[in-house]
Amino acid sequence: MHLLLFSGFLGSGKTTLVIKLAKFALEQGKKVAILVNEIGEVGIDNQLMRQLDMNVWELLNGCICCTLTADLVSTLTQLDREYSPDVVIVEPSGAANPTKVLKALPYYKGTPLESLNTIAVIDPLRVEMLVEVMNILISASLKQADLVLVSKCDQASQEEIAYAHQVSQEYKPNIKVVEVTKDSAVETWAKEIAPWMN
């Protein structure tokens, strides 16, 4: 079982990328499960994924990064036992600190993970503001990342995209940064995240 953890602030484009990646994995013949966490009462992202006939396990009652670490582990265990997915994509809420999610994983005692990759999604249109206002969350997300996806590059200026690269390198020197647009072919960035999928 391969586990992919997506982090990124609300509105960064995580859900769109998760859906594209999950569909690509399904096309590759992989069994896919998506774990989503909603802070609010109504999980709009979760509803959208259900409409796409995906296996979505919704983690409720607060933020996955603090109150639901035990639930994450039990859900992974249940997935392993009842569904045996090839790929589990975890999309915590946009307010989640991925460090706390990662700290919960050693308590998972099911089939050993074949790989664990953390992907930080950055919105170049808002990264300057987020660095000022949500610095702790942004820094935690980038420092834990194995790869950065800069989303919305078809909407951002070259200066905004360059700043997203700069911020990524400041928090995690030499990290690989991949630019994506709404029309980017998923295989061009999926192979960076999950080379085992090809």
Side-chain angles (χ1 to χ4, degrees):
M1 184 164 73
H2 300 276
L3 193 143
L4 300 169
L5 171 63
F6 275 73
S7 66
F9 198 69
L10 296 164
S12 64
K14 286 196 315 294
T15 299
T16 299
L17 294 171
V18 164
I19 290 172
K20 286 184 177 181
L21 183 63
K23 290 170 81 172
F24 179 70
L26 290 167
E27 290 167 4
Q28 301 296 309
K30 306 294 185 185
K31 291 177 71 176
V32 181
I34 301 173
L35 297 181
V36 295
N37 172 232
E38 300 293 341
I39 291 179
E41 292 294 321
V42 179
I44 296 173
D45 292 346
N46 175 54
Q47 291 174 1
L48 172 61
M49 289 183 199
R50 283 200 186 281
Q51 290 171 11
L52 294 173
D53 296 324
M54 293 185 180
N55 295 287
V56 179
W57 294 66
E58 186 168 20
L59 304 175
L60 299 170
N61 301 323
C63 181
I64 193 175
C65 66
C66 49
T67 61
L68 286 182
T69 52
D71 191 47
L72 171 65
V73 171
S74 63
T75 302
L76 281 175
T77 302
Q78 185 178 357
L79 274 174
D80 176 47
R81 185 174 58 246
E82 298 179 7
Y83 184 61
S84 299
D86 300 306
V87 186
V88 177
I89 303 174
V90 180
E91 185 193 348
S93 83
N97 184 331
T99 304
K100 295 185 179 180
V101 177
L102 293 169
K103 283 183 178 177
L105 291 177
Y107 295 98
Y108 165 70
K109 302 301 182 188
T111 303
L113 297 177
E114 295 177 66
S115 68
L116 167 62
N117 289 293
T118 303
I119 301 95
V121 180
I122 291 183
D123 176 358
L125 301 172
R126 299 185 301 151
V127 67
E128 187 172 2
M129 178 270 293
L130 290 173
V131 167
E132 284 187 26
V133 178
M134 303 293 294
N135 189 273
I136 293 174
L137 180 61
I138 298 298
S139 65
S141 180
L142 289 169
K143 286 176 181 178
Q144 293 296 328
D146 299 304
L147 175 77
V148 174
L149 292 179
V150 180
S151 62
K152 306 179 184 179
C153 287
D154 48 336
Q155 303 172 43
S157 68
Q158 286 304 309
E159 291 76 15
E160 289 168 325
I161 294 170
Y163 185 67
H165 279 267
Q166 178 187 327
V167 168
S168 301
Q169 296 299 327
E170 284 176 1
Y171 287 110
K172 185 137 187 200
N174 302 316
I175 190 162
K176 186 166 184 65
V177 180
V178 178
E179 298 173 13
V180 294
T181 70
K182 66 178 180 180
D183 296 322
S184 293
V186 64
E187 55 268 24
T188 61
W189 51 269
K191 65 183 180 182
E192 302 289 350
I193 294 172
W196 42 263
M197 209 180 303
N198 298 323

